[in-house]
Amino acid sequence: MIGADTSFLIDYLNGDRGAVEWMSKNYELVYICENVVYEFLCGKLTEKEIDQFLGFISQFPLFNFNRNAALISSQI
């Protein structure tokens, strides 16, 4: 499992060559965290971009970012 962060998803969706190549090789390992969805949707997006993003992330498993996850990840 590899968590895709907001910056990576922005690069990927903007067609960044490195991000696209990485995704093509690691697609099946990608998970998206709920807080990444929040961060992405806080950006200045059109309704069309929001719909495209939501459609895109529906392909990936989501994992919750709760207090326990915050405590553990802060120690890594």
Side-chain angles (χ1 to χ4, degrees):
M1 171 177 24
I2 298 173
D5 70 3
T6 306
S7 296
F8 173 78
L9 291 178
I10 290 169
D11 290 346
Y12 175 78
L13 293 171
N14 283 330
D16 177 84
R17 193 170 93 207
V20 171
E21 287 176 14
W22 187 91
M23 181 69 89
S24 70
K25 295 175 186 173
N26 299 288
Y27 177 84
E28 68 282 348
L29 301 174
V30 174
Y31 280 66
I32 298 176
C33 185
E34 297 287 0
N35 67 323
V36 170
V37 175
Y38 168 78
E39 289 174 353
F40 199 94
L41 293 175
C42 283
K44 190 173 183 179
L45 301 171
T46 65
E47 288 297 318
K48 181 179 178 182
E49 290 169 329
I50 291 170
D51 290 342
Q52 288 173 334
F53 175 71
L54 294 175
F56 170 73
I57 65 166
S58 70
Q59 305 170 65
F60 301 98
L62 289 171
F63 61 91
N64 292 323
F65 192 77
N66 57 25
R67 183 169 297 177
N68 191 45
L71 294 171
I72 293 169
S73 66
S74 70
Q75 296 174 359
I76 296 175

